[in-house]
Amino acid sequence: MTDAAGGSGTAAAGDIGVQPYWELTFDADGDPDAGQRDRLVAGVARQRVTDLLVFAHGWNNDRSMARRLYGRFFAPFPGMAGAGVRLGYTGVIWPAMRFTDEPIPDFDPVAAGQSAATGDAGVTGAAGVAGATGAAGPPVLDDASLRALTRVFPGRELTLRRLQELLAERPAARSAFDEFARLGRELVTVRENSPAHRLAEDMGTGTPAMLTDDPMAVCEIFTAALEKCGHQELFGDGLKRLWNGAKEFLRQTAYYAMKRRAGVVGQLGLGPALGRLVEGAPGTRIHLVGHSFGARLVSYGLRGMPPGVTGVKSVTLLQGAFSHYAFAARLPHDPDRGGALQGVQRRVDGPVVSCYSRHDSALSMLYPLASRLSGDSASFQGLFDRWGAVGHDGIQAVDGARRLKLGAAVPGEGCVSIDASSVVRDGPPPAGAHSDVCHGELAHVVLTAGRVVTK
């Protein structure tokens, strides 16, 4: 089948409402769909695209959901582009699961609930509706999320079913929490010297405390964090209340696996694909955009580009779910080490822009807790300073980095952090502001960062 771009993209290119549009799909190891990649390169050259926007989603589980996000975000772009600009659009599709009690990014909660009831966009059953509307309920692992987890952790269905049983039963016994944590930790264990392990870290080596600390203490901390974030009224009391934190622990272990996968897909998949694109369509200006773990993916894509490749003219990170010290040459708490992405900003012929929001409770509280290394204090005090995410307070500890308000002129180079709290502020629980990224103001940031529009 041919797409709206004359056969250069995918069969469903018309789905997102902008043209020409191509998709670039990667598997969990970062291997691309070679046919899609080659059609993208040929199509961009044939259609004389001057500026190609490449967007990587966060923890969406479904291709159609990613397309909807891309369609909404890209919708204002054609009307904003400057004279003589020929825009092209690419949606990166990578295997990142989603718990069905999380809302679809930037979807109206009522619409999401209706979609869940009809099976649209991969959300099915009462659990999807409850999650979309924020209604309180017991911390269960529904069957749809179980199926998604089996795709993330192939061959571990028996382990996942036991985790589902424990959440359904919620025993008031320490031994049950010990078993739950042991099984959850086994899911994400990799060899210490494997590339996958290294691609999970943004500040050097180390294992998150949730994978090493006392299980009940970890569940207590996550339960307290959920209460502090105000996602919803938590279920149960006494030890049974801590199963809310246990469910969050399982969610965060899956996120840890996806965080690692985002690095793998970015460095081993997107980076080389960008090299092919620059070689096959010389002169096309590439603008990378990533949301959440997709921001991590495109950033690691810079590290994975072949030596000498130039052509990426801007990078825009929307609510990035990775360390705010990732680009630092020296870590404030350990000056002998730098962030995992130190210096990669110099591979961009323009700015690396982080749009952040103080309203993003998923990044301000739950991400730092999941990222904290073993041996540190488990208290909330000082937690964010060391383990904070770039989507909550921007790029940190990089010499010459600029901090701007939304709407200010974007510099032509270097690291830039833009406070988008005025627009990135609303969204249904539990993701809240983290998913609130489809705004014309943010589209304008992407285009001004890339000098596609100057006003």
Side-chain angles (χ1 to χ4, degrees), residues 138-189:
V140 298
L141 179 63
D142 60 275
D143 288 340
S145 293
L146 178 68
R147 289 192 295 272
L149 283 168
T150 59
R151 291 191 291 270
V152 174
F153 304 112
R156 307 305 297 273
E157 184 174 357
L158 291 179
T159 297
L160 290 165
R161 288 198 177 279
R162 178 54 181 159
L163 289 167
Q164 183 184 47
E165 291 173 357
L166 287 168
L167 281 172
E169 297 167 1
R170 296 181 290 282
R174 172 176 287 274
S175 60
F177 289 97
D178 290 341
E179 181 184 5
F180 191 89
R182 176 179 58 79
L183 295 174
R185 289 164 176 172
E186 288 176 357
L187 293 175
V188 296
T189 300

Side-chain angles (χ1 to χ4, degrees), residues 158-289:
L158 291 179
T159 297
L160 290 165
R161 288 198 177 279
R162 178 54 181 159
L163 289 167
Q164 183 184 47
E165 291 173 357
L166 287 168
L167 281 172
E169 297 167 1
R170 296 181 290 282
R174 172 176 287 274
S175 60
F177 289 97
D178 290 341
E179 181 184 5
F180 191 89
R182 176 179 58 79
L183 295 174
R185 289 164 176 172
E186 288 176 357
L187 293 175
V188 296
T189 300
V190 296
R191 300 189 315 275
E192 185 70 25
N193 61 348
S194 72
H197 180 85
R198 293 194 296 273
L199 289 170
E201 301 301 332
D202 295 328
M203 294 192 298
T205 59
T207 302
M210 67 178 181
L211 301 182
T212 59
D213 283 6
D214 175 71
M216 187 168 289
V218 169
C219 293
E220 288 174 346
I221 291 169
F222 277 129
T223 300
L226 289 171
E227 292 172 333
K228 192 175 182 68
C229 292
H231 286 163
Q232 63 181 36
E233 181 181 351
L234 299 186
F235 181 86
D237 52 22
L239 287 182
K240 287 185 176 293
R241 189 174 184 80
L242 298 187
W243 285 101
N244 295 281
K247 169 69 176 295
E248 185 60 32
F249 162 80
L250 179 59
R251 192 194 311 270
Q252 293 294 344
T253 56
Y255 286 177
Y256 181 73
M258 287 186 287
K259 174 183 178 181
R260 182 167 57 211
R261 180 173 295 175
V264 169
V265 173
Q267 183 163 326
L268 304 183
L270 180 61
L274 292 173
R276 290 279 194 104
L277 185 60
V278 170
E279 180 182 4
T284 299
R285 295 153 45 91
I286 300 169
H287 309 281
L288 303 180
V289 184

Side-chain angles (χ1 to χ4, degrees), residues 7 14 17 28 45 53 56 64 73 76 115 147 222 234 283 289 302-303 310 317 376 387 405 435 444:
L53 298 144
S64 67
F73 188 79
S115 295
R147 289 192 295 272
F222 277 129
L234 299 186
V289 184
L302 296 174
R303 195 167 80 168
T310 59
L317 312 174
D376 288 348
W387 303 115
K405 292 183 178 179
S435 296
H444 192 262

